[in-house]
Amino acid sequence: QSALTQPRSVSGSPGQSVTISCTGTSSDVGGYNYVSWYQQHPGKAPKLMIYDVSKRPSGVPDRFSGSKSGNTASLTISGLQAEDEADYYCYSYAGSYTLVFGGGTKLTVL
Amino acid sequence: EVQLVESGGGLVQPGGSLRLSCAASGFTFSNYWMSWVRQAPGKGLEWVANIKQDGSDKYYVDSVKGRFTISRDNAENSLYLQMNSLRAEDTAVYYCARDLRYNDYWGQGTLVTVSS
């Protein structure tokens, strides 16, 4: 049950694109197509942005997209906006009904 | 509208116990797995436990096994987390969240502080 590995921080200017990586193992990210991503603003509850690697819940802008290759999942945010500044967490099923989060990435919009 | 409302947090001494509750509304509670997720102050999210729709299966992160018990009352649309033998490292905001492989709805969280 080791945490997935995310960069501590990423940044980009408004209108640019950024990608946040999430690296696990063949026992979690690589073994299942059950990676989700959450956005969390300070003092708020997390919000689901992507589920099952690349699916977007209703209401989430299509600027947010997800993908996976091997043991690494990625969240890409295109057309960065000021309100995208937040912490982002990946989350993966890890077998036997257990789950594991990434350590979180702070996105700064310059 | 789906709502999850946690309660029961507070200050407790090391070694003490606390029971968290989560009141669910706006969906058929008995159709969903439910989860508890926590976040220590200034730290990341950590999955704590989940429970099957009928309460028959329960799973925990290693660090709370034998100390925490997740349960549910489908007649009352409520989820619970009984926390015993609490440690300083259990200090966190505890969120209840809907579903298993991803959590589409979250409560606002309840703060548990373990300190003497």
Side-chain angles (χ1 to χ4, degrees):
Chain A
Q1 295 176 333
S2 299
L4 308 175
T5 301
Q6 297 182 233
R8 294 290 295 270
S9 64
V10 297
S11 63
S13 299
Q16 288 187 331
S17 293
V18 295
T19 297
I20 300 171
S21 61
C22 170
T23 301
T25 69
S26 58
S27 296
D28 38 63
V29 174
Y32 309 92
N33 287 322
Y34 295 146
V35 177
S36 52
W37 289 89
Y38 300 83
Q39 176 191 68
Q40 187 180 36
H41 288 109
K44 301 294 187 182
K47 175 186 176 184
L48 177 67
M49 305 303 285
I50 295 288
Y51 67 99
D52 292 354
V53 175
S54 60
K55 297 177 182 177
R56 252 188 335 271
S58 172
V60 172
D62 60 7
R63 303 185 294 104
F64 291 83
S65 62
S67 63
K68 190 185 87 167
S69 178
N71 297 337
T72 298
S74 299
L75 173 71
T76 298
I77 310 170
S78 59
L80 266 180
Q81 298 181 4
E83 58 262 36
D84 298 334
E85 185 162 296
D87 294 325
Y88 291 84
Y89 295 90
C90 60
Y91 192 36
S92 175
Y93 183 72
S96 302
Y97 300 95
T98 65
L99 295 102
V100 61
F101 278 101
T105 298
K106 180 177 180 60
L107 169 62
T108 300
V109 180
L110 302 170
Chain B
E1 179 195 6
V2 172
Q3 281 198 314
L4 298 169
V5 179
E6 302 93 338
S7 60
L11 174 64
V12 61
Q13 292 189 337
S17 298
L18 213 54
R19 188 196 197 205
L20 306 183
S21 299
C22 172
S25 61
F27 66 102
T28 304
F29 181 71
S30 58
N31 285 354
Y32 289 86
W33 282 77
M34 294 295 295
S35 302
W36 286 100
V37 174
R38 67 183 178 183
Q39 186 170 35
K43 302 297 184 182
L45 300 169
E46 180 182 37
W47 168 75
V48 174
N50 54 32
I51 185 169
K52 195 177 178 180
Q53 289 93 329
D54 63 359
S56 59
D57 292 325
K58 308 171 185 183
Y59 302 90
Y60 303 90
V61 68
D62 286 346
S63 58
V64 309
K65 282 180 182 176
R67 300 188 300 122
F68 289 12
T69 302
I70 188 172
S71 63
R72 64 192 296 162
D73 184 336
N74 287 344
E76 295 292 327
N77 292 333
S78 293
L79 177 71
Y80 304 101
L81 187 67
Q82 176 67 43
M83 303 185 296
N84 299 331
S85 303
L86 281 161
R87 307 167 180 167
E89 54 265 35
D90 296 320
T91 294
V93 172
Y94 285 74
Y95 296 98
C96 72
R98 191 177 82 165
D99 227 330
L100 172 63
R101 67 178 193 269
Y102 60 86
N103 301 134
D104 54 355
Y105 288 94
W106 297 64
Q108 84 289 349
T110 187
L111 176 63
V112 172
T113 303
V114 184
S115 174
S116 55

